[in-house]
Amino acid sequence: MPVLPEPFAAWFAARGWTPRPHQLALLEASQQRRSTLLIAPTGAGKTLAGFLPSLVRLSEPGKRPRKGAGLRTLYISPLKALACDVARNLETPIAEMGLKIRTETRSADTTLARRQRQRRSPPDILLTTPEQVALLLSHPDAPFLFADLETVILDELHALAPSKRGDLLALDLARIQSLAPGHIRVGLSATVARPSELRAYLMAQTAPDVRADLAHVIEIQGGAKPDIKILEAEEGVPWSGHTARYAIGEIYEAIAAHRLSLVFVNTRMQAELLFQELWRVNGQNLPIALHHGSLAAPQRRKVESAMAAGQLKAVVATSTLDLGIDWGDVDLVIHVGAPKGASRLTQRIGRANHRLDEPSKAILVPGNRFELLECRAALQAAEAGAQDAVLSRSGALDVLAQHVLGMACQAPFDPDVLYDEVRTALPYASLTRAHFDRVISFVSTGGYALKAYERFAKLRPAEGGKLRVANARVAQQYRLNAGTIVDSPLIKVRLVSGGRRKSGAARTLQGGRMLGEVDEYFIEQLSPGTTFAFAGEVVRFEGLRDTEAFVSRTTAQDPMIPSYSGGKFPLSTHLAARVRAILSEPKSWRALPPPVAQWLLLQQRRSQLPGREDVLIETFARSQRHYLVAYPFEGRLVHQTLGMLLTRRLHRAGAQPLGFVANDYGLAVWGNGDISRLIADGRLGLAELFDEDMLGDDLDAWLAESSLMKRTFRMAAVIAGLIERRHPGKEKSGRQVTMSTDLIYDVLRRHDPGHILLEAAWADAATGLLDLARLGEFLARIKGRIRHQALERVSPLSVPILLEIGREQVFGAHEDVLRSAAQDLIEEATGA
């Protein structure tokens, strides 16, 4: 084990620290030039360990020869905020030890002049994000910039790897390997179930079956067990809902009793709502802030600085503060809503008491009774140290198309050489040459059905069998649109300068301070004078001009809350299994709050409870409609797909379905036909209804008429560069992007059904919006294990599902079922 050199040893001693074994082990691996994966729980000093080898190496006397711009260490983070926090924390040891080491951050918020200067004269250590790495590699000077690179640090690798951002990063690492073949990679990760998946990410894959035996793994065990409690509010957890308004008083009391609390929610809409609710009861005028990805960067930075300075009592946040950020003395995490995954909960609660030998303290606040069961399951998983994050994936073809164009922007390339390079990236290690050539063809011409249109021709032949970018405009467009994060089109929200203007006078509105961005479709439904909560304020909509909405401050009550597409995490398979286990074990109900335990006991008497491996189907009539309720506990995505396919089959059986509703725990289909009688008469067999063959013709027929595939294709087309959202000085509206992609989708389906982007969109739908793999596993698991219960009335377990919002219509029918008041439905389910 190496010994820390001076001045590092003295710096550690002055702080009363002793280098931890894993920090020295990582230093030793770096000295041996071995790529290393460090897996450690929160508070173990992963970040310092990751940078220590670079700091020691850069502080060594004597100059190493420079072949390029002088960039030595590249740090890549999934979050801009995390990169900024790490840079801030690096400043202290560098300054206190007097090290002549220059560090800088780079993100979309960095000024253009600074970004250009960083390519010519980079710092010793550059901290950035995957998107910025892709952009740096697309410039002709990339070989000069990366020529001296010695170390790449991949922070929170477990958060990057299982996504399209991870695909893009892996491809960029493959190119960096070509430009700086002597560099090593350091992966930093929270505890994961299968370290080998991440270890392979650190090594070039020289064959599809390669093993990453050359990557060293350092895994830290132990750490204090977290202190997690489920909040039991005086009012009691409601039957349905996701806002946790019932517990606002208790949440506020917990905030007041601690130094600094992070209040996590799962969506930006929940964040805005909860923030407003907390300020409504903020009689002590506690400093409570808001942080999510749609807020303007200056506002986020202001909150981050206030956290670091100890000026806040609480911050309501989404996943923007999930990862290894260490701002302020956080001593409590409050998780409002169910966590949806054991690994996600572990990550979030680790923000409290960010030290290895002290327990993280957390309070879980379920929004409804099913969420309480999920919180109990998550608590059990945390106690067992269980991890459920899925890390491995096959590389997406639309991401590969974007990367191919980026490499052409850098310099003409030989397809044979690029194919070999791409296959060294873990997600693409098994990529066939046929698929690669189809991607090249798409980037070159747009594909068979589009090759007659010049705008889709982005590559041209060059000397020696190489391909080059078609022209400078294509390269410019690539750099404006690079990245894999495809949000719903966003509208900037600005305060009207000089006070409120006359409603509807959008043309006279003058831009003031930007508050952030909201989804375009939310703004489109507003009329002048409408009030909504955003960025911690209540504002009045004044008008829309181009891609900017103008608002003024107001004191109006009951504002709308902006809704955002995406951001909803599905229930993980691991937690779903634990929830089913709780339901099937009445002895475990003693740990539940009495109202929830009584709810399950009443369900047991009136109907049945789902088992571990089977599925319960209930049928009953209510308000002249007939219902089928299923309890798969397989997550919202699976249930939405299942609901659409079931309605098709029920339609053929004569059940006349009118609509369905789905959440993470179950789904309900309703219609005019007597489903119970159809089953009793043998005209509707549940085994046939839930047969695996629904993933064949029924799925194909539904997708052919569904807008879902068009939506999925839209995202793939934007990532692949077929449709460009941003142009110099302007940006396409969401309606323009939709019209363009929908038209191309219809053309390709008719004239080029084998197009590579249709294949990419199908793969996305299968693993994302449809979750077909998990649905197939569910259908296989319940074969011969379907339990049916015909009921006289609504069951207690079905009430939370029937109270859900957002029902989807099928077969063009209008929703005839009016939502009864929640109390009436509850009384019907629980009455004698």
Side-chain angles (χ1 to χ4, degrees), residues 50 160 194 198-199 221 233 277 333 444 545 638 697 780:
L160 278 171
R194 294 172 296 277
L198 290 183
R199 182 176 65 169
Q221 303 293 340
E277 290 295 312
V333 165
S444 298
R545 188 180 65 201
V638 168
D697 292 343

Side-chain angles (χ1 to χ4, degrees), residues 126-244:
L126 181 64
L127 301 94
T128 189
T129 59
E131 291 74 23
Q132 290 298 315
V133 175
L135 288 172
L136 287 171
L137 287 168
S138 73
H139 288 280
D141 57 10
F144 174 75
L145 174 62
F146 291 100
D148 300 313
L149 188 67
E150 298 171 344
T151 304
V152 175
I153 302 172
L154 305 169
D155 204 355
E156 305 291 353
L157 183 55
H158 62 284
L160 278 171
S163 67
K164 286 192 176 184
R165 295 183 81 200
D167 293 347
L168 183 62
L169 177 58
L171 291 167
D172 290 337
L173 290 173
R175 171 47 56 101
I176 289 174
Q177 180 67 33
S178 298
L179 300 179
H183 85 277
I184 62 170
R185 300 172 191 171
V186 176
L188 307 177
S189 172
T191 305
V192 292
R194 294 172 296 277
S196 60
E197 294 177 329
L198 290 183
R199 182 176 65 169
Y201 205 90
L202 300 179
M203 300 302 300
Q205 309 295 293
T206 54
D209 60 346
V210 73
R211 294 177 60 88
D213 293 328
L214 296 180
H216 187 44
V217 177
I218 302 171
E219 189 165 6
I220 309 303
Q221 303 293 340
K225 290 283 187 183
D227 176 10
I228 311 173
K229 291 182 172 60
I230 298 176
L231 184 142
E232 293 189 25
E234 182 178 341
E235 186 177 326
V237 65
W239 288 68
S240 66
H242 303 279
T243 64

